[in-house]
Amino acid sequence: MSITDTVTTAARNAWALSFGAGIEPVDPAPSTVLWDEPHRLLRRYDTEFQSAASDSAVLLVPPLAAPATCFDLRRDQSLARYLVETGRAPYLVDYGDITFADRRMGFEDWITDILPEAILRVSADRGGAPVDLIGWSVGGMFSLLTAAANPELPIRSVTGVGPPLDYDKMLGIPQLRAVAGLTGGWGATAVVRAAGGIPAPLTKLAYRLAAYDRELARPRFIAGNITNTETLAKMESIDRFQAAMPGYPGRFYNQLWGRMMLANDIGNGRLELRDRTVELADVRVPVLLIGGKSDVITPHAAVEAGLRTLTGAPSVTYELVPGSHLGILTGPQARETTWAHLDKFLAERD
């Protein structure tokens, strides 16, 4: 590249990041909305031939407090596109925005209503085919709890990418428990109840604090890559992802705080709800778990705990891959690591 081209590219990228519309336009994978209701929009990613190579369907399950675009950040960072390329029939359930009006929503809404309904609709759209669930982060926990609580559902397998399955292994949890012990946990729950949940700005701040090294290195990173359009486009996709983060419903977060962070229900292989107990040992389908070597949000030991608690599954495969919490799902190495493990796992089910 000539000096003139270098200067031109640098100027164009600097303008795009500072004042323009961005390095590259948003280009979501082609899809069709099959159902649109609050917190349960169901999307089918378009395949060239509606009869995909496999008779099964794949349902992508996002977590709360993260946009469903996690599965389709950009063309080269899209698990949804990869599944289409490899002959799968991927679908996505999208919870949309979480507001004060949703403050009474809890774990029960997802594992006994929203996800079971999505699974049945996906199966019906594929002529009654079984469904492979792929959940990222808490979406992986949701998927496992849904399979455990609803054995009648047409679920063929569950894949959890970075799911928190033991809060004893989570960074900072012992310290939070120590603080909660001084107040009986009242302070945190009272604030969350008053606010109706955790608002979106706080979830965005928490994610950035967890990746503080990236935030601190950002100015130098931009300066060092100002002529590398592809690298800046990847950075921009993560920035957009963070900017779109929704919040947590109040009831859900209080359950997460009390049942997971304080009591570590999931680490003990269960979830205690108001009217029932869901046991991970009741998962009766093959499971794939993916942990990230550099994941500080869900350390890989918290994912690996599923080998101990998913005792009813016919098989539990655990893979450790390079990358951060988001990186193991859609980072530069995901295609050769996480996606390859997933492709092998699904092929074995075929």
Side-chain angles (χ1 to χ4, degrees):
M1 183 182 291
S2 67
I3 294 179
T4 301
D5 290 339
T6 299
V7 172
T8 300
T9 300
R12 183 174 62 246
N13 288 342
W15 176 268
L17 286 173
S18 302
F19 308 105
I23 296 295
E24 67 179 18
V26 178
D27 180 27
S31 65
T32 301
V33 173
L34 301 181
W35 203 269
D36 188 359
E37 290 182 351
H39 309 309
R40 61 189 73 212
L41 183 146
L42 184 63
R43 188 182 300 277
R44 180 183 64 211
Y45 288 99
D46 299 339
T47 56
E48 185 176 354
F49 304 103
Q50 286 306 316
S51 55
S54 171
D55 288 336
S56 66
V58 176
L59 178 60
L60 301 173
V61 182
L64 281 170
T69 54
C70 57
F71 295 108
D72 185 34
L73 285 184
R74 57 191 295 267
R75 184 171 289 273
D76 292 333
Q77 295 173 274
S78 173
L79 177 56
R81 289 182 188 270
Y82 177 80
L83 290 168
V84 170
E85 291 169 8
T86 52
R88 302 285 164 187
Y91 297 72
L92 171 73
V93 57
D94 189 342
Y95 318 133
D97 293 332
I98 300 295
T99 67
F100 183 79
D102 305 312
R103 61 192 179 279
R104 295 184 179 86
M105 295 181 73
F107 269 95
E108 300 90 341
D109 292 278
W110 273 267
I111 66 177
T112 65
D113 180 17
I114 294 173
L115 292 181
E117 181 182 71
I119 291 165
L120 290 173
R121 285 175 172 165
V122 167
S123 178
D125 189 62
R126 293 288 296 167
V131 180
D132 296 301
L133 303 183
I134 303 176
W136 174 57
S137 190
V138 171
M141 184 203 297
F142 278 163
S143 299
L144 290 167
L145 291 170
T146 299
N150 307 276
E152 75 285 356
L153 288 174
I155 298 173
R156 192 178 72 156
S157 71
V158 177
T159 295
V161 181
L165 300 179
D166 187 345
Y167 276 78
D168 284 348
K169 311 296 186 186
M170 301 284 278
L171 187 67
I173 293 300
Q175 292 78 7
L176 282 174
R177 287 175 182 159
V179 172
L182 300 176
T183 64
W186 181 87
T189 56
V191 170
V192 171
R193 284 195 188 101
I198 304 295
L202 284 184
T203 62
K204 297 172 189 175
L205 176 61
Y207 194 91
R208 286 190 164 136
L209 288 175
Y212 70 93
D213 51 342
R214 177 183 182 270
E215 295 300 314
L216 292 176
R218 179 185 171 85
R220 178 182 292 181
F221 180 85
I222 292 175
N225 292 278
I226 195 63
T227 61
N228 191 330
T229 304
E230 174 68 13
T231 298
L232 293 179
K234 291 178 180 178
M235 179 202 73
E236 182 182 61
S237 70
I238 298 175
D239 291 343
R240 285 173 174 162
F241 168 79
Q242 290 180 339
M245 283 185 170
Y248 284 110
R251 175 171 168 72
F252 172 83
Y253 188 82
N254 283 327
Q255 289 174 313
L256 190 68
W257 169 255
R259 300 314 319 164
M260 300 296 181
M261 297 183 189
L262 298 186
N264 194 28
D265 274 10
I266 201 73
N268 294 316
R270 64 181 60 89
L271 172 60
E272 298 279 355
L273 296 173
R274 182 176 295 164
D275 59 350
R276 66 183 298 185
T277 299
V278 181
E279 301 278 354
L280 286 182
D282 290 334
V283 174
R284 304 294 184 186
V285 298
V287 175
L288 171 63
L289 300 173
I290 305 288
K293 294 179 181 178
S294 306
D295 192 341
V296 296
I297 293 178
T298 303
H300 58 81
V303 180
E304 190 177 9
L307 294 174
R308 170 176 50 81
T309 54
L310 291 160
T311 55
S315 67
V316 181
T317 305
Y318 170 70
E319 302 288 354
L320 181 62
V321 302
S324 62
H325 195 55
L326 181 59
I328 61 176
L329 178 70
T330 190
Q333 295 174 286
R335 180 178 291 268
E336 288 74 35
T337 56
T338 299
W339 299 359
H341 291 308
L342 175 61
D343 191 48
K344 178 176 180 290
F345 176 72
L346 294 179
E348 290 170 350
R349 310 285 79 76
D350 295 337

